[in-house]
Protein backbone atom coordinates (compact mmCIF):
# COMPACT_ATOMS: atom_id res chain seq x y z
CA UNK A 1 0.00 0.00 0.00
CA UNK A 2 1.28 3.42 -0.93
CA UNK A 3 0.44 7.03 -0.15
CA UNK A 4 -2.28 8.36 -0.18
CA UNK A 5 -3.89 5.06 0.98
CA UNK A 6 -1.06 4.46 3.43
CA UNK A 7 -0.42 7.24 5.93
CA UNK A 8 2.12 6.58 8.67
CA UNK A 9 0.89 9.59 10.61
CA UNK A 10 -2.59 8.12 11.31
CA UNK A 11 -1.37 5.98 14.19
CA UNK A 12 0.91 8.70 15.53
CA UNK A 13 -1.95 11.16 15.89
CA UNK A 14 -2.53 10.85 19.63
CA UNK A 15 -0.96 9.40 22.76
CA UNK A 16 -3.38 6.48 23.02
CA UNK A 17 -2.73 5.29 19.46
CA UNK A 18 0.99 5.57 20.11
CA UNK A 19 0.66 3.61 23.36
CA UNK A 20 -1.34 0.87 21.65
CA UNK A 21 1.15 0.21 18.88
CA UNK A 22 4.37 0.75 20.84
CA UNK A 23 6.71 -2.16 20.08
CA UNK A 24 9.28 -1.80 22.86
CA UNK A 25 8.73 -0.95 26.51
CA UNK A 26 11.15 -0.50 29.36
CA UNK A 27 10.03 -2.15 32.56
CA UNK A 28 11.47 -1.91 36.07
CA UNK A 29 11.94 -5.67 35.68
CA UNK A 30 14.76 -5.01 33.19
CA UNK A 31 16.94 -2.89 35.46
CA UNK A 32 20.01 -3.55 37.61
CA UNK A 33 21.43 -0.75 39.80
CA UNK A 34 25.24 -0.62 40.29
CA UNK A 35 26.45 0.57 43.72
CA UNK A 36 29.94 1.38 45.06
CA UNK A 37 30.73 0.14 48.57
CA UNK A 38 33.44 1.73 50.73
CA UNK A 39 34.64 1.32 54.33
CA UNK A 40 33.24 3.41 57.17
CA UNK A 41 29.87 4.38 58.57
CA UNK A 42 27.40 7.02 57.37
CA UNK A 43 29.58 7.63 54.32
CA UNK A 44 27.78 9.04 51.27
CA UNK A 45 30.48 10.71 49.27
CA UNK A 46 29.66 12.05 45.80
CA UNK A 47 31.72 10.54 42.97
CA UNK A 48 32.99 13.59 41.08
CA UNK A 49 33.16 11.90 37.67
CA UNK A 50 29.62 10.48 38.01
CA UNK A 51 27.14 13.15 39.18
CA UNK A 52 24.35 11.58 41.25
CA UNK A 53 26.43 8.51 42.19
CA UNK A 54 28.09 7.95 45.58
CA UNK A 55 30.64 5.97 47.52
CA UNK A 56 28.46 4.34 50.17
CA UNK A 57 29.41 2.69 53.45
CA UNK A 58 27.56 -0.57 54.20
CA UNK A 59 24.77 1.17 56.17
CA UNK A 60 24.08 3.44 53.18
CA UNK A 61 24.39 0.55 50.72
CA UNK A 62 21.57 -1.09 52.70
CA UNK A 63 19.54 2.13 52.59
CA UNK A 64 20.01 2.50 48.83
CA UNK A 65 19.22 -1.18 48.27
CA UNK A 66 15.97 -0.59 50.16
CA UNK A 67 15.23 2.42 47.93
CA UNK A 68 15.90 0.32 44.85
CA UNK A 69 13.59 -2.39 46.14
CA UNK A 70 10.87 0.13 47.00
CA UNK A 71 11.11 1.51 43.45
CA UNK A 72 10.65 -2.03 42.11
CA UNK A 73 14.23 -2.60 40.88
CA UNK A 74 14.86 -6.36 41.14
CA UNK A 75 18.64 -6.32 41.57
CA UNK A 76 21.75 -4.37 42.51
CA UNK A 77 25.34 -5.09 41.44
CA UNK A 78 28.05 -4.29 43.96
CA UNK A 79 31.53 -2.88 43.33
CA UNK A 80 34.07 -2.35 46.10
CA UNK A 81 36.57 0.40 46.81
CA UNK A 82 39.64 -1.30 48.30
CA UNK A 83 41.01 -0.38 51.73
CA UNK A 84 44.38 -1.82 50.69
CA UNK A 85 45.92 -3.02 47.42
CA UNK A 86 48.63 -5.61 46.74
CA UNK A 87 49.95 -7.63 43.78
CA UNK A 88 47.66 -10.62 44.50
CA UNK A 89 44.46 -8.60 45.19
CA UNK A 90 44.10 -10.12 48.64
CA UNK A 91 41.20 -7.82 49.51
CA UNK A 92 39.20 -9.12 46.54
CA UNK A 93 38.63 -12.49 48.23
CA UNK A 94 39.05 -11.85 51.99
CA UNK A 95 35.90 -12.80 53.88
CA UNK A 96 35.97 -9.50 55.83
CA UNK A 97 36.61 -7.24 52.80
CA UNK A 98 34.25 -4.54 51.62
CA UNK A 99 32.11 -6.33 49.03
CA UNK A 100 31.70 -9.39 51.24
CA UNK A 101 30.49 -7.19 54.12
CA UNK A 102 28.20 -5.16 51.89
CA UNK A 103 26.62 -8.33 50.47
CA UNK A 104 26.01 -9.74 53.96
CA UNK A 105 24.53 -6.44 55.19
CA UNK A 106 22.08 -6.17 52.29
CA UNK A 107 21.06 -9.82 52.48
CA UNK A 108 20.38 -9.41 56.19
CA UNK A 109 18.37 -6.18 55.97
CA UNK A 110 16.84 -6.27 52.46
CA UNK A 111 16.64 -10.01 51.74
CA UNK A 112 14.24 -9.62 48.83
CA UNK A 113 16.53 -7.66 46.56
CA UNK A 114 18.81 -9.75 44.36
CA UNK A 115 22.47 -9.07 45.06
CA UNK A 116 24.91 -9.54 42.19
CA UNK A 117 28.64 -8.96 42.59
CA UNK A 118 31.17 -7.76 40.04
CA UNK A 119 34.01 -10.28 40.15
CA UNK A 120 37.34 -8.73 39.20
CA UNK A 121 40.76 -8.03 40.65
CA UNK A 122 41.48 -4.57 39.19
CA UNK A 123 40.21 -2.54 42.15
CA UNK A 124 42.35 -4.63 44.53
CA UNK A 125 45.67 -5.04 42.71
CA UNK A 126 48.34 -2.36 43.26
CA UNK A 127 49.03 -2.36 39.48
CA UNK A 128 45.34 -1.96 38.65
CA UNK A 129 45.10 -4.84 36.16
CA UNK A 130 42.31 -7.40 36.18
CA UNK A 131 44.69 -10.33 36.64
CA UNK A 132 48.04 -11.28 38.14
CA UNK A 133 51.05 -9.59 36.55
CA UNK A 134 54.24 -11.49 35.80
CA UNK A 135 57.15 -9.53 34.26
CA UNK A 136 54.79 -6.90 32.86
CA UNK A 137 52.44 -9.50 31.32
CA UNK A 138 48.93 -10.19 32.62
CA UNK A 139 49.17 -13.92 33.39
CA UNK A 140 45.87 -15.50 32.38
CA UNK A 141 46.09 -18.93 34.01
CA UNK A 142 47.62 -17.68 37.26
CA UNK A 143 44.67 -15.28 37.62
CA UNK A 144 41.91 -17.89 37.32
CA UNK A 145 42.30 -19.33 40.80
CA UNK A 146 42.11 -15.87 42.43
CA UNK A 147 39.09 -14.88 40.34
CA UNK A 148 37.27 -18.09 41.27
CA UNK A 149 38.21 -17.54 44.93
CA UNK A 150 36.76 -14.02 44.73
CA UNK A 151 33.49 -15.32 43.28
CA UNK A 152 33.28 -18.03 45.94
CA UNK A 153 33.86 -15.52 48.76
CA UNK A 154 31.03 -13.34 47.42
CA UNK A 155 28.67 -16.30 47.28
CA UNK A 156 29.69 -17.43 50.77
CA UNK A 157 28.78 -13.91 51.95
CA UNK A 158 25.32 -14.38 50.41
CA UNK A 159 25.52 -13.12 46.81
CA UNK A 160 22.68 -14.41 44.62
CA UNK A 161 24.64 -14.19 41.35
CA UNK A 162 28.23 -13.45 40.31
CA UNK A 163 29.36 -11.39 37.33
CA UNK A 164 32.99 -11.88 36.25
CA UNK A 165 34.29 -8.78 34.39
CA UNK A 166 38.01 -9.54 34.13
CA UNK A 167 38.07 -11.00 30.56
CA UNK A 168 40.59 -13.73 31.40
CA UNK A 169 40.07 -16.81 29.22
CA UNK A 170 38.50 -19.73 31.06
CA UNK A 171 37.28 -17.86 34.10
CA UNK A 172 33.63 -18.78 33.71
CA UNK A 173 34.50 -22.49 33.70
CA UNK A 174 36.81 -22.06 36.68
CA UNK A 175 34.15 -20.18 38.67
CA UNK A 176 31.46 -22.72 37.72
CA UNK A 177 33.64 -25.61 38.86
CA UNK A 178 34.60 -23.90 42.12
CA UNK A 179 31.01 -22.99 42.97
CA UNK A 180 29.79 -26.50 42.13
CA UNK A 181 32.44 -28.13 44.31
CA UNK A 182 31.36 -25.94 47.22
CA UNK A 183 27.66 -26.81 46.84
CA UNK A 184 26.71 -23.60 45.09
CA UNK A 185 25.61 -25.21 41.84
CA UNK A 186 22.37 -23.19 42.06
CA UNK A 187 24.14 -19.80 41.81
CA UNK A 188 24.01 -18.33 38.28
CA UNK A 189 26.88 -16.61 36.45
CA UNK A 190 26.25 -13.44 34.46
CA UNK A 191 29.36 -13.24 32.30
CA UNK A 192 30.77 -9.99 31.01
CA UNK A 193 31.42 -12.15 27.96
CA UNK A 194 31.60 -9.41 25.36
CA UNK A 195 33.51 -6.62 27.02
CA UNK A 196 35.26 -4.13 24.77
CA UNK A 197 38.35 -2.12 25.60
CA UNK A 198 36.53 1.19 25.87
CA UNK A 199 37.15 4.84 26.66
CA UNK A 200 33.63 4.88 28.10
CA UNK A 201 34.87 3.26 31.34
CA UNK A 202 36.83 6.41 32.28
CA UNK A 203 34.51 7.80 34.98
CA UNK A 204 34.14 4.35 36.59
CA UNK A 205 37.87 3.97 37.03
CA UNK A 206 37.84 7.09 39.16
CA UNK A 207 34.86 5.72 41.10
CA UNK A 208 36.46 2.33 41.73
CA UNK A 209 40.02 3.65 41.81
CA UNK A 210 40.85 0.89 39.33
CA UNK A 211 42.83 2.51 36.51
CA UNK A 212 45.78 0.38 35.32
CA UNK A 213 49.06 1.81 36.61
CA UNK A 214 50.94 0.77 33.44
CA UNK A 215 49.78 0.00 29.92
CA UNK A 216 46.12 -0.56 29.15
CA UNK A 217 43.56 -3.38 29.04
CA UNK A 218 43.85 -4.09 25.31
CA UNK A 219 45.53 -7.49 25.81
CA UNK A 220 42.42 -8.87 27.50
CA UNK A 221 39.42 -6.65 26.69
CA UNK A 222 38.08 -6.84 23.13
CA UNK A 223 38.98 -4.68 20.15
CA UNK A 224 36.01 -2.35 19.42
CA UNK A 225 36.39 -3.13 15.71
CA UNK A 226 35.35 -6.77 16.13
CA UNK A 227 31.92 -8.34 15.82
CA UNK A 228 32.53 -12.01 14.90
CA UNK A 229 34.77 -12.19 17.93
CA UNK A 230 31.73 -11.32 20.07
CA UNK A 231 30.09 -14.54 18.91
CA UNK A 232 33.23 -16.53 19.74
CA UNK A 233 33.51 -15.00 23.21
CA UNK A 234 29.83 -15.54 23.98
CA UNK A 235 29.94 -19.13 22.68
CA UNK A 236 32.97 -20.01 24.80
CA UNK A 237 31.35 -18.61 27.94
CA UNK A 238 28.11 -20.47 27.27
CA UNK A 239 30.06 -23.72 26.94
CA UNK A 240 31.81 -22.96 30.22
CA UNK A 241 28.49 -22.53 32.01
CA UNK A 242 27.42 -18.87 31.74
CA UNK A 243 23.72 -18.25 32.41
CA UNK A 244 23.49 -14.66 31.13
CA UNK A 245 25.71 -13.03 28.49
CA UNK A 246 26.59 -9.37 28.89
CA UNK A 247 27.63 -6.85 26.26
CA UNK A 248 29.56 -3.83 27.50
CA UNK A 249 29.45 -0.88 26.81
CA UNK A 250 25.94 -0.61 25.36
CA UNK A 251 25.49 2.45 23.16
CA UNK A 252 28.38 2.09 20.76
CA UNK A 253 27.65 -1.65 20.56
CA UNK A 254 23.92 -1.84 19.78
CA UNK A 255 24.76 -3.85 16.66
CA UNK A 256 26.55 -6.42 18.83
CA UNK A 257 23.54 -6.69 21.17
CA UNK A 258 21.28 -7.18 18.15
CA UNK A 259 23.56 -9.78 16.62
CA UNK A 260 23.94 -11.80 19.82
CA UNK A 261 20.21 -11.75 20.43
CA UNK A 262 19.76 -13.29 16.96
CA UNK A 263 22.49 -15.88 17.31
CA UNK A 264 22.46 -17.12 20.91
CA UNK A 265 19.66 -18.38 23.09
CA UNK A 266 20.64 -17.05 26.53
CA UNK A 267 19.32 -13.86 28.13
CA UNK A 268 21.36 -10.83 27.06
CA UNK A 269 22.38 -8.10 29.48
CA UNK A 270 23.81 -4.75 28.40
CA UNK A 271 25.87 -2.42 30.56
CA UNK A 272 25.01 1.25 30.06
CA UNK A 273 28.44 2.25 31.39
CA UNK A 274 29.82 5.17 33.35
CA UNK A 275 30.94 7.24 30.35
CA UNK A 276 27.52 6.90 28.75
CA UNK A 277 25.95 8.08 32.00
CA UNK A 278 28.37 10.91 32.76
CA UNK A 279 28.30 12.58 29.34
CA UNK A 280 24.53 12.96 29.63
CA UNK A 281 24.78 14.29 33.17
CA UNK A 282 27.50 16.72 32.06
CA UNK A 283 25.33 17.91 29.17
CA UNK A 284 22.50 18.44 31.63
CA UNK A 285 24.74 20.43 33.97
CA UNK A 286 25.74 22.62 31.03
CA UNK A 287 22.05 23.20 30.29
CA UNK A 288 22.47 21.76 26.81
CA UNK A 289 20.31 18.63 26.91
CA UNK A 290 17.33 17.10 28.67
CA UNK A 291 19.21 14.21 30.31
CA UNK A 292 16.07 12.56 31.70
CA UNK A 293 14.57 12.23 28.22
CA UNK A 294 17.91 11.17 26.73
CA UNK A 295 18.32 8.44 29.33
CA UNK A 296 14.86 7.04 28.62
CA UNK A 297 15.53 7.13 24.88
CA UNK A 298 18.89 5.39 25.21
CA UNK A 299 17.52 2.67 27.49
CA UNK A 300 14.77 2.13 24.95
CA UNK A 301 17.36 1.78 22.18
CA UNK A 302 19.28 -0.80 24.22
CA UNK A 303 16.09 -2.78 24.80
CA UNK A 304 15.02 -2.44 21.15
CA UNK A 305 18.42 -3.77 20.05
CA UNK A 306 17.65 -6.94 22.00
CA UNK A 307 18.83 -6.60 25.60
CA UNK A 308 16.70 -8.37 28.19
CA UNK A 309 18.50 -6.78 31.13
CA UNK A 310 20.11 -3.32 31.46
CA UNK A 311 22.67 -2.32 34.06
CA UNK A 312 22.35 1.43 34.48
CA UNK A 313 23.32 4.07 37.04
CA UNK A 314 19.90 5.58 36.37
CA UNK A 315 18.02 2.42 37.46
CA UNK A 316 16.41 3.86 40.60
CA UNK A 317 15.52 7.19 38.95
CA UNK A 318 14.09 5.44 35.90
CA UNK A 319 12.11 2.96 38.03
CA UNK A 320 10.57 5.87 39.95
CA UNK A 321 9.71 7.55 36.66
CA UNK A 322 8.11 4.37 35.32
CA UNK A 323 6.02 4.03 38.50
CA UNK A 324 4.56 7.53 38.20
C1 LIG B 1 36.09 -4.05 36.31
C2 LIG B 1 34.97 -3.29 35.71
C3 LIG B 1 35.00 -2.10 34.96
C4 LIG B 1 33.66 -1.74 34.73
C5 LIG B 1 32.87 -2.73 35.31
N1 LIG B 1 33.69 -3.67 35.90
C6 LIG B 1 36.13 -1.25 34.53
C7 LIG B 1 37.10 -1.72 33.55
O1 LIG B 1 37.03 -2.81 33.00
O2 LIG B 1 38.04 -0.95 33.33
C8 LIG B 1 33.20 -0.52 34.01
C9 LIG B 1 31.84 -0.03 34.40
C10 LIG B 1 31.50 1.34 33.92
O3 LIG B 1 32.29 2.01 33.22
O4 LIG B 1 30.40 1.79 34.25
N2 LIG B 1 36.92 -4.71 35.44
Amino acid sequence: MLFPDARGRRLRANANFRRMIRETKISVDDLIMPLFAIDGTSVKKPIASMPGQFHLSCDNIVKTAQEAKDAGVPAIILFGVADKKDPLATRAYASDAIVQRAVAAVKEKVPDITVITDVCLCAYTDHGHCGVVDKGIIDNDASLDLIAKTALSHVQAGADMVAPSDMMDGRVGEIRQTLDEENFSHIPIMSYAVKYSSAFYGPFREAADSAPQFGDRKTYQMDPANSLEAIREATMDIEEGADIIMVKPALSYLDIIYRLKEEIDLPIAAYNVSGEYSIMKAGEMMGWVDAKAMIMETLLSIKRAGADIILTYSAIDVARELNR
Side-chain angles (χ1 to χ4, degrees), residues 75-263:
I76 58 172
I77 181 164
L78 291 176
F79 296 89
V81 180
D83 51 350
K84 176 163 98 30
K85 297 174 191 265
D86 58 46
L88 292 180
T90 316
R91 300 303 284 167
Y93 40 85
S95 60
D96 64 345
I98 183 66
V99 167
Q100 290 77 358
R101 278 184 285 122
V103 168
V106 174
K107 288 289 29 166
E108 187 195 334
K109 300 272 172 49
V110 196
D112 291 343
I113 199 150
T114 290
V115 177
I116 307 166
T117 56
D118 180 87
V119 175
C120 198
L121 306 182
C122 60
Y124 309 93
T125 50
D126 49 7
H127 47 67
H129 279 288
C130 304
V132 176
V133 172
D134 184 26
K135 299 186 196 72
I137 305 280
I138 293 74
D139 185 338
N140 190 88
D141 297 12
S143 305
L144 296 181
D145 178 45
L146 300 186
I147 289 161
K149 250 166 96 165
T150 301
L152 176 62
S153 73
H154 293 171
V155 172
Q156 283 169 335
D160 300 297
M161 174 149 73
V162 290
S165 68
D166 51 281
M167 286 302 276
M168 297 300 124
D169 291 320
R171 91 279 205 207
V172 171
E174 187 86 12
I175 291 171
R176 187 69 277 158
Q177 192 186 337
T178 301
L179 293 183
D180 289 0
E181 282 166 9
E182 300 288 332
N183 294 322
F184 292 117
S185 61
H186 57 289
I187 298 290
I189 300 174
M190 174 165 70
S191 175
Y192 288 70
V194 181
K195 179 172 176 181
Y196 288 92
S197 179
S198 171
F200 285 91
Y201 307 151
F204 172 95
R205 290 182 188 167
E206 184 181 322
D209 186 24
S210 65
Q213 297 303 302
F214 69 89
D216 52 40
R217 303 208 203 287
K218 290 194 170 77
T219 67
Y220 42 106
Q221 298 181 349
M222 286 171 59
D223 184 335
N226 295 349
S227 166
L228 276 174
E229 191 183 351
I231 311 288
R232 286 203 295 278
E233 284 288 351
T235 307
M236 279 198 285
D237 282 9
I238 293 169
E239 299 208 340
E240 289 176 33
D243 299 279
I244 298 173
I245 293 297
M246 193 199 298
V247 176
K248 177 182 174 205
L251 293 182
S252 292
Y253 301 89
L254 294 176
D255 57 321
I256 306 295
I257 296 172
Y258 184 85
R259 185 161 188 180
L260 283 176
K261 188 64 189 170
E262 298 278 293
E263 298 201 24

